[in-house]
């Protein structure tokens, strides 16, 4: 996890523009470099480093003797860089996993490069010999990337939007800063003036497609094919374990977020098992946050005791949570209701990890709800086929919601997030399964995932079959949910009259509640006129929901009242 920033064709003094690069300093607390491009005085790279792999030669932009005309700034981890080296005979100059991008590009161009990378990434690649700039982002947008391109060819690229919104230029940049689409690469021509022109934007991978890099995976072929239940369960276990194993690549201490729900518990259990197998000689630290005796804290405690992790609990008090709202919204760059609610706990637990421990590489369970149909509203899906379509839609939009939350809340405190449920191979296999296999069964969501691990003894049965609890709800008590606590506070902060006129003040995605109005006000304070970054609010489907919380849905209420 790092912060990348680059400008091409700047009209303003670069030493002034460089101040914008400092807006993302939190992403790389270990080192910073600002470097001009030879022969292009108005082009430059900025890089904030979190040293996780190759602490000696890991500074960027990466340049190697073999390709003096290539400049690379990337944020992410490429898990198959050693396998690619073996397959193609690459001679690496550093131990940095991202160096493989230079070799792949030299061998087969940008299309092959993006398609063969097994990992999470956002990168800027400059080829001065062929006068090209390339941008690319991983399938699910686990690593963030924003860009601004003016009509006259000035390009700014950054890990977070906040590093671009105050750039100086002769023409206005207003409303042109936008997220770079996941699963895409862009080719731009670099003119002698340093300005650029976009040539094409290409989608190189869809979540349903088996990735090209399967040939370079540690599990090359699954032992058995077909969709009979035992085969499917075995393949799910093999691929999930493989997803966790490849993410153990780190020179810094590994930790794991543990809410006590199915997803984070499975990640923690498999992670600890694999750490023992490869003789990592420190205990796994797991981290839970919640109010005193909240469901998450109690469940996480059970899991930690079962797997034998060094467990840390962060007690959330209401005042601390409310005080964090503004800095959370500033970090997130969104005003989505459910994203903000869930981010407060994650932001505060990340703050604790940074201050009180030496864990830096943090595993988490993001992506499972979207992939394995974990949201409670999936019980109301009209058909297995529609549920499958909804699952794909949610995965495509992860970069706007859960993946955005997970990245920004951890990156704000200089931590690196790893999300095995979003492994390309694992997700493409799960999505290839017949729709009727993936739907909730017997009133239980994620039924297939739970069933796959039932005989593994990785988790206590009551955790493996624990019903879905949204992170923002699980951290509070059963009697009063976190969203109710927030709403009670905000009710006192927003006048009824302001809400009545909300649609006039904010015509795009107008706030319908005092809570959403309050968040929108804070967002507009920091990012005025940028409301289009959020195309729509996250809300459940197939139910008449007025609030995104699972606790407002009938299925949750009936389950808790039994």
């Amino acid at each position: 996890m790092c912060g990348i920033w680059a400008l091409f064709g700047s009209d303003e003094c670069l030493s002034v523009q460089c101040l914008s690069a400092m807006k993302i300093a939190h992403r790389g607390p270990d080192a910073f470099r600002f470097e001009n491009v030879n022969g292009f005085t108005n082009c430059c790279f900025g890089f904030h480093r979190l040293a996780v792999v190759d602490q000696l030669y890991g500074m960027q932009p990466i340049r190697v003797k073999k390709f003096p005309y290539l400049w690379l700034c990337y944020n992410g981890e490429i898990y198959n860089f050693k396998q690619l080296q073996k397959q193609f005979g690459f001679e690496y100059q550093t131990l940095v996993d991202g160096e493989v991008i230079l070799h792949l590009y030299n061998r087969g161009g940008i299309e092959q490069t993006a398609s063969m990378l097994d990992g999470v990434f956002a990168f800027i690649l400059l080829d001065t010999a062929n006068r090209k700039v390339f941008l690319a982002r991983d399938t699910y947008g686990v690593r963030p990337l924003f860009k601004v391109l003016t009509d006259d060819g000035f390009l700014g690229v950054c890990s977070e939007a906040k590093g671009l919104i105050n750039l100086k230029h002769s023409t206005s940049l207003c409303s042109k800063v936008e997220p770079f689409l996941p699963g895409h690469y862009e080719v731009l021509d670099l003119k002698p003036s340093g300005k650029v022109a976009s040539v094409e934007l290409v989608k190189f991978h869809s979540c349903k497609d088996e990735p090209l890099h399967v040939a370079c995976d540690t599990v090359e072929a699954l032992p058995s094919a077909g969709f009979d239940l035992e085969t499917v369960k075995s393949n799910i276990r093999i691929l999930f374990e493989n997803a966790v194993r490849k993410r153990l690549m780190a020179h810094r201490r590994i930790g794991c977020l543990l809410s006590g729900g199915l997803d984070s518990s499975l990640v923690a259990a498999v992670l600890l098992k694999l750490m023992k197998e490869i003789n990592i000689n420190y205990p796994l630290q797991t981290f839970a946050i919640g109010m005193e005796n909240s469901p998450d804290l109690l469940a996480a405690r059970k899991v930690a005791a079962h797997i034998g992790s060094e467990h840390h609990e962060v007690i959330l008090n209401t005042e601390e949570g409310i005080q964090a709202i503004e800095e959370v919204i500033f970090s997130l760059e969104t005003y989505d209701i459910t994203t903000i609610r869930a981010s407060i706990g994650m932001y505060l637990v990340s703050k604790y990890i940074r201050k009180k421990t030496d864990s830096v590489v943090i595993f988490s369970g993001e992506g499972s709800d979207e992939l394995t149909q974990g949201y409670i509203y999936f019980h109301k899906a009209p058909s297995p086929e529609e549920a499958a379509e909804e699952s794909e839609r949610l995965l495509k939009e992860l970069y706007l919601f859960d993946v955005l939350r997970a990245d920004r809340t951890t990156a704000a405190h200089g931590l690196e997030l790893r999300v095995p449920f979003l492994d390309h191979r694992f997700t493409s296999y799960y999505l290839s399964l017949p729709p009727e296999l993936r739907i909730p069964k017997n009133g239980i969501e994620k039924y297939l995932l739970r069933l796959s691990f039932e005989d593994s003894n990785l988790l206590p049965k009551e955790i493996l079959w624990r019903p879905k609890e949204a992170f923002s709800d699980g951290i509070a008590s059963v009697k009063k949910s976190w969203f109710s606590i927030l709403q009670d506070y905000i009710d006192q902060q927003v006048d009824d009259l302001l809400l009545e006129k909300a649609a006039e003040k904010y015509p795009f995605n107008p706030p319908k509640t005092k809570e959403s109005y309050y968040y929108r006000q804070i967002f507009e304070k920091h990012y005025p006129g940028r409301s289009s970054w959020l195309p729509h609010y996250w809300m459940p489907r197939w139910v008449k929901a007025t609030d995104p919380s699972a606790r407002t849905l009938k299925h949750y209420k009936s389950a808790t009242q039994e």
Side-chain angles (χ1 to χ4, degrees):
M1 197 281 299
C2 301
I4 59 175
W5 181 88
L7 299 184
F8 298 90
S10 174
D11 292 343
E12 296 291 325
C13 172
L14 290 178
S15 59
V16 174
Q17 303 281 48
C18 182
L19 294 173
S20 284
M22 301 315 291
K23 293 282 179 69
I24 58 161
H26 52 273
R27 297 189 70 88
D30 294 333
F32 171 66
R33 178 183 283 174
F34 184 70
E35 192 167 334
N36 290 64
V37 178
N38 304 342
F40 295 90
T41 55
N42 57 357
C43 301
C44 62
F45 288 91
F47 178 66
H48 293 277
R49 185 171 189 222
L50 178 68
V52 172
V53 176
D54 194 351
Q55 301 190 351
L56 188 58
Y57 295 109
M59 275 306 283
Q60 299 185 31
I62 296 173
R63 303 183 68 205
V64 295
K65 287 176 185 174
K66 195 172 182 182
F67 315 119
Y69 48 89
L70 296 182
W71 304 60
L72 172 69
C73 235
Y74 89 103
N75 169 25
E77 301 82 48
I78 312 302
Y79 304 122
N80 63 341
F81 76 109
K82 287 181 179 173
Q83 288 92 331
L84 289 167
Q85 180 184 31
K86 192 175 173 182
Q87 176 156 336
F88 298 123
F90 295 150
E91 293 178 12
Y92 293 156
Q93 194 176 304
T94 72
L95 300 175
V96 179
D97 52 290
E99 188 188 330
V100 71
I101 295 169
L102 302 176
H103 295 268
L104 279 173
Y105 170 72
N106 179 69
R107 182 185 182 277
I110 189 65
E111 174 90 36
Q112 188 193 60
T113 302
S115 302
M116 289 299 287
L117 297 175
D118 181 8
V120 294
F121 57 86
F123 69 75
I124 308 152
L125 177 62
L126 168 64
D127 179 346
T128 54
N130 294 294
R131 297 270 176 87
K132 297 284 185 191
V133 176
F134 303 97
L135 309 177
R137 191 176 181 193
D138 67 73
T139 304
Y140 297 110
V142 174
R143 292 294 175 260
L145 194 67
F146 285 80
K147 65 172 250 198
V148 58
L149 179 60
T150 64
D151 294 339
D152 67 339
F154 168 53
L155 173 69
V157 188
C158 189
S159 295
E160 297 181 20
K162 55 181 68 68
L164 299 175
I165 56 173
N166 294 319
L167 288 173
K168 304 285 185 285
H169 193 65
S170 50
T171 59
S172 171
L173 295 180
C174 189
S175 80
K176 290 191 178 180
V177 175
E178 57 192 4
F180 189 82
L181 288 175
H184 286 70
Y185 69 80
E186 185 170 12
V187 182
L188 303 107
D189 282 333
L190 179 65
K191 299 173 184 176
S193 64
K195 307 277 189 191
V196 302
S198 181
V199 177
E200 58 177 346
L201 179 68
V202 178
K203 185 172 187 175
F204 66 85
H205 186 232
S206 291
C207 52
K208 279 179 81 172
D209 300 335
E210 185 174 72
L212 284 183
H213 55 67
V214 163
C216 299
D217 201 352
T218 44
V219 177
E220 287 186 24
L222 290 168
S224 49
F227 293 135
D228 68 277
L229 192 56
E230 289 309 309
T231 296
V232 167
K233 283 159 56 179
S234 170
N235 289 343
I236 285 171
R237 288 192 302 272
I238 289 165
L239 290 178
F240 184 68
E241 194 166 296
N242 185 46
V244 176
R245 183 182 290 108
K246 67 179 77 163
R247 284 164 176 76
L248 288 170
M249 181 182 89
H251 293 166
R252 302 287 285 274
R253 184 166 183 163
I254 291 168
C256 189
L257 298 181
L258 180 58
S259 70
L262 174 68
D263 310 327
S264 63
S265 299
L266 263 183
V267 171
V270 173
L271 176 58
L272 196 133
K273 171 179 174 260
L274 296 177
M275 285 171 70
K276 283 178 181 171
E277 282 179 18
I278 62 170
N279 297 317
I280 288 179
N281 61 3
Y282 55 78
L284 173 67
Q285 293 181 326
T286 50
F287 304 96
I289 186 167
M291 293 178 177
E292 212 67 78
N293 294 321
S294 63
D296 276 7
L297 278 191
L298 299 175
R301 213 174 284 165
K302 270 185 198 167
V303 176
H306 184 84
I307 65 174
S309 63
E310 180 194 300
H311 193 54
H312 296 243
E313 290 185 352
V314 180
I315 304 299
L316 173 70
N317 68 63
T318 306
E319 193 179 323
E320 186 184 19
I322 286 166
Q323 281 178 351
I325 293 173
E326 180 154 356
E327 54 196 272
V328 165
I329 292 172
F330 176 73
S331 293
L332 292 175
E333 303 172 334
T334 188
Y335 52 94
D336 179 62
I337 304 159
T338 193
T339 303
I340 293 166
R341 286 178 188 167
S343 293
I344 293 167
M346 200 162 178
Y347 182 88
L348 292 172
V349 77
S350 298
K351 188 176 183 179
Y352 169 90
I353 295 169
R354 185 70 192 177
K355 281 186 173 180
K356 305 284 188 184
T357 78
D358 58 348
S359 286
V360 174
V361 175
I362 306 297
F363 279 68
S364 190
E366 270 70 33
S368 176
D369 284 324
E370 292 75 10
L371 177 66
T372 67
Q373 303 186 13
Y375 292 115
I376 286 171
Y377 71 83
F378 273 99
H379 290 281
K380 302 291 185 186
S383 69
E385 290 70 27
E386 283 185 65
E389 282 173 25
E390 173 67 358
S391 187
E392 285 170 47
R393 182 189 74 84
L394 289 169
L395 286 166
K396 285 172 189 167
E397 292 190 346
L398 267 172
Y399 77 105
L400 296 166
F401 302 108
D402 277 24
V403 152
L404 179 148
R405 162 180 59 76
D407 173 82
R408 300 304 196 287
T409 54
T410 50
H413 302 291
L415 303 176
E416 176 172 295
L417 189 80
R418 300 212 171 158
V419 282
F421 275 108
L422 292 176
D423 181 78
H424 301 161
R425 182 94 181 272
F426 181 70
T427 55
S428 67
Y429 176 74
Y430 206 96
L431 293 172
S432 75
L433 300 173
E436 59 273 12
L437 263 186
R438 294 182 270 148
I439 57 171
K441 286 189 175 64
N442 305 331
I444 299 166
E445 63 286 338
K446 299 188 234 190
Y447 187 82
L448 177 60
L449 181 66
R450 297 175 198 270
L451 201 61
S452 300
F453 287 93
E454 188 172 40
D455 299 323
S456 67
N457 197 35
L458 281 169
L459 293 172
K461 287 281 190 287
E462 67 267 29
I463 298 295
L464 188 64
W465 295 96
R466 184 188 175 201
K468 167 70 182 163
E469 181 90 76
F471 180 54
S472 57
D473 295 334
I475 61 172
S477 67
V478 174
K479 290 176 184 172
K480 191 157 192 180
S481 67
W482 177 233
F483 81 87
S484 314
I485 293 165
L486 284 171
Q487 287 172 341
D488 287 350
Y489 166 76
I490 289 165
D491 270 348
Q492 309 302 313
Q493 311 301 313
V494 177
D495 189 81
D496 291 345
L497 194 60
L498 287 175
L499 187 60
E500 280 174 34
K501 297 186 175 179
E504 292 171 36
K505 190 172 184 181
Y506 305 120
F508 183 76
N509 280 340
K512 298 284 198 325
T513 64
K514 287 187 176 183
E515 185 185 9
S516 61
Y517 189 95
Y518 184 72
Y519 298 156
R520 184 65 169 272
Q521 269 188 320
I522 296 171
F523 174 85
E524 294 286 347
K525 173 183 164 184
H526 294 286
Y527 307 110
R530 312 281 180 179
S531 59
S532 62
W533 290 346
L534 177 69
H536 61 87
Y537 292 106
W538 193 100
M539 288 292 278
R541 299 280 297 275
W542 309 308
V543 288
K544 290 178 180 175
T546 54
D547 190 282
S549 171
R551 287 200 182 180
T552 63
L553 302 182
K554 280 182 185 175
H555 183 89
Y556 177 87
K557 288 174 181 171
S558 61
T560 55
Q561 285 161 9
E562 283 169 6

